[in-house]
Amino acid sequence: MLFTKHTTHSAEETHSLGKIFGQSLSVGTIVAFFGDLGAGKTTFIRGLVEGICSIDVRAVCSPTFTFLNTYKGDKIVFHFDLYRLPREEEFLAAGFDEYFDAGGICCVEWAEKIRSLLPLHTFQVNFSYLGEEIRQIEIMQGLQ
Ligand code: ADP
Ligand code: MG
């Protein structure tokens, strides 16, 4: 099992880590993000989108009110933010599970909201706040 643990000391460092990680991902990959508000999930995903799609990432924001943003470049990234999802059933009712196998890479913020729907091969990325500018980021291949 792949497991790496990183400590970043700035948003830029987290962005770079996301970019390098993104460059290693192939189509069909799902990445589940865990961690509190402000822990750095969206910052990491901006880097990831840059690494995968080679596009300007200033446009990447948390899709808190829409649940899903799509970024198209060399490959496609589907970016979910499920902070406001009431229940798993709403995810299924919207047909969002079909994106898991839609020819792109899926990033899911607040993945705990749909824990039982995530395939076992999903990557898990855990964020912890260690200080104002310090974050611990654990990347695992497979759900724990
Ligand atoms: P989340 O999506 O987890 O709610 P964001 O990425 O939107 O978090 O916000 C993280 C905030 O923390 C940003 O304002 C960012 O500038 C700041 N920050 C400070 N240090 C770091 C770090 N090492 N990694 C990521 N973000 C950091
Ligand atoms: Mg976010």
Side-chain angles (χ1 to χ4, degrees), residues 37 41-43 62 64 79 81 109-110:
L37 265 179
K41 302 180 293 297
T42 301
T43 302
S62 237
T64 303
H79 175 201
D81 185 327
E109 289 192 55
W110 300 98

Side-chain angles (χ1 to χ4, degrees), residues 8 25 38 49 72 93 138 144:
T8 62
L25 298 179
V49 169
K72 290 198 179 92
E138 297 171 319
Q144 297 309 296

Side-chain angles (χ1 to χ4, degrees), residues 54-84:
S54 317
I55 58 168
D56 184 348
V57 293
R58 277 170 295 188
V60 179
C61 57
S62 237
T64 303
F65 296 100
T66 57
F67 293 128
L68 171 64
N69 282 341
T70 301
Y71 302 98
K72 290 198 179 92
D74 308 335
K75 295 175 189 157
I76 300 178
V77 177
F78 301 113
H79 175 201
F80 290 96
D81 185 327
L82 304 180
Y83 184 61
R84 287 168 204 278

Side-chain angles (χ1 to χ4, degrees), residues 4-54:
T4 55
K5 193 169 174 174
H6 310 263
T7 305
T8 62
H9 299 84
S10 65
E12 291 69 31
E13 226 183 293
T14 297
H15 181 103
S16 300
L17 185 63
K19 184 171 174 178
I20 291 163
F21 177 63
Q23 285 165 344
S24 75
L25 298 179
S26 47
V27 161
T29 302
I30 302 166
V31 190
F33 293 86
F34 297 85
D36 291 339
L37 265 179
K41 302 180 293 297
T42 301
T43 302
F44 184 97
I45 291 168
R46 281 197 193 104
L48 187 147
V49 169
E50 190 178 303
I52 294 174
C53 299
S54 317

